[in-house]
């Protein structure tokens, strides 16, 4: 059968960025921001993120925190992203971003408080305009599009510097309708939004190849008319460069972008999961060989920037940071039991008045009884 002649209407390429390979060796000259001080600070922050996650998992195992999502093996994505934002930008996070939270000034005790069920843990003292941690999958991407619209409108109405919204999500989120709606409207309205996708190869127990037939996550943005780049997510230099570049272009009025950061989830999906039921042990062992902390440390030592003494000093310093944070968290006064209502509704529905009053009165009785004792 004769095949008709077709005319090419569009084509695309997805580029990959890496500065530091799996062996900890530079693949190309580093950008100007990647000074020895910046690299060692990033290394410290990734270590701190890993320590916070480790302690949070231990606290959950002893019943002091609820379900917790570790970012083990993905610290470069959080630190690289968080350090790329300006203070006035708005971060719209999902739950697996300890490194980014620390970069944004979120206190360790606030992280523990949040996952311990204390609503005040979402009131970030040093990042008051960032959005709360979002657990429902992909909904924060729509929030970010809305924030981006508001930022652009404010910029146009008041002639103020344009702020940027940055949203993070996992690879599984890109299979949700919310993702496609968010990137579509961001592209149509040319919103100042950057979408950072943590492709850690697993959406709970579903491997990446079973989630999508696309060769990359990044190419999904092409359908929305959004520039996209795939980066080595275990290379903190590459993550920071890509996110900062996308933010700068958005701030200059060039619209949204998507960054796909390739990594691997070295931990369970959350403390409620057991990844050994569905994940190959050999695959996990191999992934440990190119995790971000080991990679950056190898480079720093090879360049004479890092030593055993500095490693020991950092370990002592971060242990003290953790101890202070734990003390601050444990010293927080308990919030009233009515907080489960106070932070859920702008205006309490009438149907819940009786329950609210009952909780409040029971707490007052217990407090009076304790005082009398």
């Amino acid at each position: 059968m004769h095949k008709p002649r077709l005319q090419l209407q569009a084509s695309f390429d997805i580029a990959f960025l890496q500065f530091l390979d799996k062996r900890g060796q530079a693949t190309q000259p580093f950008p100007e921001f990647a000074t020895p001080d910046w690299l060692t600070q990033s290394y410290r922050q990734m270590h701190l993120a890993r320590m916070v996650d480790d302690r949070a998992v231990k606290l959950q195992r002893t019943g002091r925190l609820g379900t917790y999502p570790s970012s083990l093996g993905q610290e470069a994505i959080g630190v690289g992203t968080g350090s790329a934002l300006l203070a006035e930008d708005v971060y719209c996070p999902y739950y697996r971003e300890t490194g980014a939270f620390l970069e944004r000034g979120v206190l360790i005790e606030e992280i523990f408080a949040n996952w311990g069920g204390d609503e005040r843990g979402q009131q970030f003292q040093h990042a008051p305009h960032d959005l709360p941690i979002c657990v429902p999958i992909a909904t924060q991407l729509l929030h970010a599009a809305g924030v981006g619209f508001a930022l652009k409108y404010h910029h146009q109405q008041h002639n103020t510097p344009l702020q940027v919204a940055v949203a993070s999500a996992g690879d599984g989120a890109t299979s949700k309708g919310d993702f496609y709606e968010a990137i579509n409207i961001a592209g149509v309205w040319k919103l100042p939004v950057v979408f950072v996708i943590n492709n850690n190869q697993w959406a709970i127990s579903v491997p990446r190849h079973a989630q999508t037939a696309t060769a990359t996550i990044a190419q999904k943005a092409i359908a929305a008319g959004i520039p996209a780049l795939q980066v080595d997510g275990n290379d903190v230099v590459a993550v920071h460069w890509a996110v900062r570049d996308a933010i700068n272009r958005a701030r200059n009025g060039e619209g949204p972008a998507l960054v796909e950061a390739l990594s691997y989830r070295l931990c369970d999906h959350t403390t409620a999961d057991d990844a050994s039921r569905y994940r190959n042990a050999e695959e996990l062992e191999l992934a440990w060989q190119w995790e971000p902390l080991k990679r950056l440390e190898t480079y720093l030592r090879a360049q004479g920037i890092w030593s055993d003494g500095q490693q020991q000093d950092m370990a002592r310093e971060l242990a003290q940071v953790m101890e202070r944070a734990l003390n601050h968290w444990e010293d927080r006064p308990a919030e009233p039991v009515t907080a489960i209502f106070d932070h859920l509704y702008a205006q309490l529905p009438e149907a819940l008045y009786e329950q609210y009053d009952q909780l409040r009165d029971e707490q007052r009785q217990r407090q009076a009884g304790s005082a009398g004792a």
Side-chain angles (χ1 to χ4, degrees):
M1 179 182 294
H2 174 71
K3 292 185 178 180
R5 184 169 57 252
L6 304 177
Q7 294 182 343
L8 180 65
Q9 296 298 304
S11 63
F12 68 90
D13 295 302
I14 297 297
F16 174 76
L17 177 66
Q18 181 189 68
F19 289 99
L20 201 60
D21 69 15
K22 294 181 178 182
R23 298 173 296 170
Q25 297 182 0
T27 61
Q28 59 180 309
F30 280 10
E32 291 183 0
F33 69 78
T35 62
D37 285 345
W38 187 91
L39 292 170
T40 54
Q41 175 64 12
S42 297
Y43 182 61
R44 175 198 182 276
Q45 291 296 91
M46 288 195 291
H47 260 286
L48 181 58
R50 185 166 292 188
M51 288 180 67
V52 171
D53 279 350
D54 180 69
R55 183 58 62 93
V57 170
K58 288 182 171 66
L59 290 170
Q60 189 279 332
R61 298 307 190 204
T62 55
R64 302 183 66 189
L65 294 187
T67 300
Y68 183 81
S70 173
S71 60
L72 181 65
Q74 303 142 83
E75 295 87 356
I77 300 175
V79 171
T81 297
S83 59
L85 280 78
L86 297 183
E88 60 266 26
D89 293 329
V90 181
Y91 188 46
C92 307
Y94 82 132
Y95 45 83
R96 199 183 305 281
E97 290 298 347
T98 306
F101 299 144
L102 296 173
E103 287 292 326
R104 293 297 284 163
V106 176
L107 302 176
I108 297 171
E109 52 264 37
E110 291 174 335
I111 295 173
F112 290 160
N114 172 71
W115 295 108
D118 188 329
E119 300 289 350
R120 296 167 298 179
Q122 296 277 29
Q123 297 172 336
F124 304 140
Q125 179 180 336
H126 300 299
H129 53 282
D130 283 358
L131 269 59
I133 297 170
C134 190
V135 174
I137 305 301
T139 56
Q140 75 279 8
L141 304 177
L142 287 169
H143 303 160
V147 170
F149 176 83
L151 295 176
K152 183 174 182 178
Y153 180 82
H154 187 270
H155 163 72
Q156 293 172 335
Q157 294 297 309
H158 302 282
N159 196 31
T160 55
L162 183 58
Q163 298 163 263
V164 178
V166 176
S168 60
D171 49 287
T174 68
S175 298
K176 295 289 293 293
D178 310 57
F179 166 76
Y180 292 100
E181 293 165 9
I183 63 172
N184 184 68
I185 200 64
V188 170
W189 288 348
K190 210 170 183 180
L191 300 178
V193 183
V194 176
F195 302 97
V196 181
I197 305 302
N198 176 349
N199 182 357
N200 65 24
Q201 314 305 317
W202 290 94
I204 308 183
S205 59
V206 181
R208 182 242 181 272
H209 68 80
Q211 297 175 51
T212 178
T214 60
T216 67
I217 297 293
Q219 71 195 68
K220 295 185 177 187
I222 303 300
I226 294 177
L229 176 66
Q230 185 185 75
V231 304
D232 188 331
N234 285 1
D235 173 0
V236 69
V237 181
V239 174
H240 181 88
W241 187 96
V243 176
R244 190 175 75 163
D245 180 68
I247 289 174
N248 288 340
R249 285 187 282 109
R251 203 182 312 282
N252 290 332
E254 298 179 40
L258 184 145
V259 176
E260 175 192 3
L262 295 175
S263 186
Y264 192 89
R265 198 191 77 209
L266 297 176
C267 51
D268 296 329
H269 176 71
T270 68
T271 51
D273 175 45
D274 178 8
S276 66
R277 295 177 301 166
Y278 55 80
R279 190 167 59 185
N280 182 281
E282 288 74 21
E283 177 184 288
L284 177 61
E285 183 179 356
L286 179 63
W288 270 105
Q289 301 306 309
W290 57 285
E291 58 95 356
L293 274 70
K294 178 181 179 180
R295 184 184 306 196
L296 183 53
E297 180 182 352
T298 298
Y299 175 81
L300 293 174
R301 288 182 180 273
Q303 298 299 310
I305 300 172
W306 200 249
S307 66
D308 289 343
Q310 288 169 296
Q311 187 79 17
Q312 294 165 4
D313 290 343
M314 182 186 70
R316 283 192 293 268
E317 184 250 331
L318 294 184
Q320 293 172 357
V321 169
M322 283 296 305
E323 188 65 24
R324 287 195 298 269
L326 282 167
N327 290 336
H328 290 155
W329 171 59
E330 292 172 341
D331 290 342
R332 292 169 70 98
E335 62 179 347
V337 293
T338 53
I340 60 174
F341 296 112
D342 296 335
H343 297 276
L344 187 59
Y345 299 100
Q347 182 175 353
L348 189 68
E350 187 174 346
L352 296 178
Y353 284 178
E354 182 179 352
Q355 294 181 41
Y356 186 96
D357 292 341
Q358 182 180 353
L359 274 177
R360 180 197 60 203
D361 294 343
E362 287 178 355
Q363 183 174 40
R364 288 176 177 174
Q365 292 173 7
R366 286 195 300 269
Q367 289 173 339
S370 299

